[in-house]
Amino acid sequence: MAHKKGQGSTQNGRDSNAQRLGVKRYGGELVSAGSILVRQRGTKFHPGFNVGRGSDDTLFAKINGVVTFEGQGSDRKRVSVYPVSA
């Protein structure tokens, strides 16, 4: 009796789940405190005003407000949340 299955189908059948990374809230959007703004690996976007960074580099809003994407220097991108002036 053969001790290997034919065609190798059982060796190749694994794949990992997608990580759902990317920008979740865009510039000009109203967000509430605790909202996730960007899910990322590494700091492609850096936290700006009223934005925190989680242990997995996720950026989140610290206050209710409007999201803005800003340039910081020539190569760095920053995400900030500014309160809405009523």
Side-chain angles (χ1 to χ4, degrees):
M1 301 255 326
H3 63 277
K4 294 272 192 187
K5 278 196 162 186
Q7 300 170 354
S9 61
T10 56
Q11 291 182 4
N12 301 326
R14 292 171 301 283
D15 195 7
S16 58
N17 295 327
Q19 295 184 314
R20 278 102 175 160
L21 302 178
V23 176
K24 304 301 180 186
R25 295 285 181 263
Y26 295 94
E29 283 193 54
L30 281 169
V31 294
S32 57
S35 297
I36 292 176
L37 307 176
V38 182
R39 307 259 304 156
Q40 60 186 355
R41 293 292 166 262
T43 50
K44 183 174 172 134
F45 295 96
H46 292 263
F49 297 111
N50 302 315
V51 173
R53 184 169 71 93
S55 60
D56 63 347
D57 296 316
T58 295
L59 301 183
F60 59 91
K62 290 184 173 180
I63 63 164
N64 298 341
V66 179
V67 179
T68 52
F69 285 78
E70 307 161 334
Q72 183 182 15
S74 61
D75 59 344
R76 185 173 280 200
K77 292 184 283 276
R78 186 169 70 173
V79 184
S80 297
V81 175
Y82 294 105
V84 180
S85 56

